[in-house]
Amino acid sequence: MTEETGAAIKLTIEDGVAVITVDNPPVNAISQAVRQGLVDAMKTVAADGAIKAAVVRGAGNVFIAGADVREFGKPPMEPFLPDVVAAIEATDKPVCAAIHGVALGGGFEVALGCHFRVMSPKARVGFPEVNLGIIPGAGGTQRLPRLCGVEKAADLVTSGRQVAAREAKDAGLIDAIADSEEDLLAAAKQLALSKVGRPLRRISELSVAPPAAADFFTTEKAKVTRAARGQHSPVRALEAVEAAAALPFAEGMKRERAIFQELRSSDQAKALRHAFFAERAVSKVPGLENAKPRKLGKLAVIGGGTMGAGIAVACLRAGYPVTVIEADEAALERGRSNVDKNLEGFVARGRLTAEGKTETMGRLGLSLDYGALGDADLVIEAVFEDMGVKKTVFGKLDAAMKPGAVLATNTSYLDIDEIAAATKRPEDVIGLHFFSPAFVMRLLEIVRPAKTSDDIIATGFELAKKLGKVGVLSGVCDGFIGNRILAKTRKQADYMIEDGALPWDVDKAMEAFGMPMGPFRVMDLAGLDIAWAQRKRTAATRDPKERYVAIADRLCEQGWFGQKTGRGWYVYENGKPSPNADVEKIILEESAKKGIARRAVSAEEIQNRILYAMINEGARIVEEKIAARPLDVDMVKIFGYGFPRWRGGPMCTADIIGLPKVLDGIKALAASDPLFWKPSVLLEKLVAEGKSFADLNN
Ligand code: 3H9
C-alpha cells in the first residue's frame, strides 16, 4: 500500500513496516513540505494497527542533505524541525533511519530522532552547519553528546567534518553498517522489526557523561576560537555542546535554539550562504548553458618548473595520464624530480600510499619532443612568463597537437589574444591560470580570449571539476580578476607604509580582518624578486602622475627577497618571522625623502583602504564584463587569495556594509588621492538605483 502524505514524503507498508521515503530532489533538503510530511507520516504510523515499525529513508542519491538553506532568509514556517524530530522520537513503534549517500545537518538530526540507525558502507554523516554560519538547530548539539560523549561531539559540530560509516559505528552514532547499499533497506527493516515490543532507547532520555578533562571546554574554546579566525559559528557550536553537558535536555534544547536563531540572521550566516550558493553558481555561466565539454583523456604540460610540475601533479592526482615536455635533459630531470617530491609530500601526510605513488608516477610521461603530444586532448603551457617564449611554444603546439585539442596557457599577466594569434586555431586557445601550489590551491581562472569557442570554455570548467577546483571565468585583461585586484591592494599596502604604518601593522590588521596572512607576509612567501622584475619591465610605461613607492625596490637591491633569502619585510630564523628593523629604517628614509609627515594609521583605516580597493576594482572588473557577475569576483578572492569565506568575498562584504557607505568611503579617500580612488561607474550606478551587487548575481 502507498500513501501520499504530501508530495515530498511517500509512505508504503511492507511486511508490517512503514517505509517513509523523503523525496525532494535533488538532495531531499528539509523544506516545509518535508517537515509536514514527516509529522503526518508519524501520525499514520501511530494510528495504523497494520504498522509494527517504521524506516525513514531518502529517495535518489542521499538520505537528507539538511534543512533547506533557501528557506533561511525567509520567515520560519511550521512545523519546526525540532518538533518534527521530537515527534519521530516520541513514536512508540521502533523507527530506524536507513542512511545512504549523506545525512547532514537537519538530515542527521532526523536520523538521531529515530531509535536506530543503519548506514550503507559508503555513506557519511555530519553537521556542516558551522560552514553556513549557524549551528545545528534541531537537537544535534544536544543528542550527539548523549551518544558519543562531549569530546567527539565537540569535534564534529565545531569542524563540520563528515564521518564515514566505520567511524560513525565506532563512535556509537549508528547501530549497524549494511553489507551494501542494496541491502540497506532490508537491514533497516529487519532491525526495526526485531525491536517490536521491546523498550525503545530515546537519545534525549540519555544522560551526558562529563568530559574526561575538567578543563576540556576552556582549552577547547581557546583552540576553536584560534582556528575559526573571526568566524563565530564554531565557538557558538561548542557553547551548545557545553549546554548539553550542563543542562537537562529540554533546557539545552532551548539554549541551542536561541543560538541557532541568533546566528541564522547574522551577517556571517548571510555571507556563508552566499558563498555556498556562489560556489555552485560560478560554473553555471550565463550564455554557456548548452556548451558541451570536449573529451579529456590524456593531458600534457609544457614546462617542469615549480608551476608546471605542480600542475602535472594536480592532473596526475585526478587520475589523468600526463606528459611533461621540457627543453633539455637537465630540465626534464628537474621536472621529474619536482613531481616526485610533491607526490612524496602526499605520502608523508598520509594522503597517498607508497604503491599509489608508484602508480601515479607510472602515468607521468617525460619527453623533449613535441611529437609526444600527438594524442593529448589538452595541453597546459607553463613556461617562462615572456611573450616571445610563449609564442614560440604555441607555434610548436599548433604543429604538434591533433585537431580539436585544447591549447591552454597558464600565463598570469600576458595577453592571451596575442598568444592565440601565434596559432592557426585561436578558437582552441584558452587561459588556465593555476595558483601555486597548483595541487593545493582550489582556484582556477579560466580565461577567455576573444576567439575561443564555447565548448573550449566548457572543457576548462570540466577540467576544474575533475581536478577538484573552483573554475571562475575571466575575460582577458592585465592580471585577470585576481591579480588585477591584488595589484591595487598591494599599492594601498605600499602607500600606507609610506604614510605612517609599518608592514607588521598592516599584516596584523589584515589578519584580524580574517586573512590567513597579511600582504607583506604573503610577499615574503612568494618572493619579492618577481614583482621587482615586473616593475622594472613596466617602468617605462608607468603613468608619471601615479604615486610610486620605492621601498620594496630598496629591499630587493639588498638582495632581500623574502623567505627564500631568509630576509625580506621580516627576518626569518628557523622559519619564524620577526620584523626586519632595517626595513623600518628604509621606510622612514623613503617617507622623509618625499616629505611625508608620518602619521598613525589605525587598523580600521588599513582594513578599509585594502577592502575598498578590492571592492572598487572588483566593481570595475564586473563593469568591464571581465567577470560575468560579482559572485565570480567573490569566488576568486575566497579560493585564490584567502579572503575569509565568512565575509562572503569583497562584493558580498560591500553589500553587507551597504553600497552607499562604501561609495562615501571611497569618495572620502579620493580627496587626498583622486587618481587611485576614482569610484567605479557601476558602483555609482548601483547606489543611484538603490541596488546591491547581489542584484547582479541573480
Ligand atoms: C541545517 O540542516 C540546519 C539544521 O541543523 C537546523 C534546522 C532547524 N538546501 O552540492 P551540489 C542544492 S543547515 C537547499 O551541487 P553534490 C545545491 O544548491 C544545512 N539546497 O551536489 C544544488 O542546487 P543547484 C546543512 C541545497 O552532489 C543541488 O542541491 N547541510 C542544499 O556535489 C546539488 O548540490 C548542508 O550544509 C540544502 N541544504 O553534493 C549540506 N544542499 O543544482 C549542504 C544542496 O541549483 N549540501 N542543495 O545548484 C552539500 O554538502 C552537498 O550539496 C551534498 C551534495 C553533499 C549534499
Side-chain angles (χ1 to χ4, degrees), residues 494 498 532 535 547-557 569 586 590 593-594:
D494 277 350
E498 213 175 48
W532 189 33
R535 286 196 297 279
R547 177 174 173 186
Y548 185 77
V549 179
I551 299 169
D553 294 347
R554 291 204 43 202
L555 265 68
C556 291
E557 284 156 15
W569 300 104
I586 293 176
E590 288 296 318
K593 243 192 242 169
K594 287 201 186 163

Side-chain angles (χ1 to χ4, degrees), residues 229 489-490 492-494 496-497 501-525 528 563 568-572 577-580 583 587 601-603 606-607 610:
R229 252 196 238 119
T489 56
R490 286 250 166 106
Q492 274 309 310
D494 277 350
M496 286 189 283
I497 58 173
L502 290 171
W504 24 101
D505 301 331
V506 176
D507 284 352
K508 201 167 150 214
M510 293 320 292
E511 284 158 22
F513 178 83
M515 304 295 290
M517 261 191 208
F520 291 97
R521 282 185 60 196
V522 173
M523 283 184 240
D524 268 3
L525 184 68
L528 272 58
Q563 275 194 31
W569 300 104
Y570 295 83
V571 177
Y572 295 84
S578 55
N580 183 343
V583 162
I587 293 174
V601 183
S602 69
I606 292 169
Q607 291 169 350
I610 291 189

Side-chain angles (χ1 to χ4, degrees), residues 26-27 29 65-70 72 81 102 104-106 109 128-129 132 134 136-137 257 260 276-277 280 284:
V27 292
D68 188 339
V69 181
R70 286 173 212 278
F72 281 2
L81 193 57
V102 290
L104 299 176
E109 287 173 312
E129 280 88 342
L132 291 165
I134 54 173
R257 192 75 184 157
F260 170 78
F276 177 86
F277 288 116
R280 284 155 179 84
K284 295 174 187 145

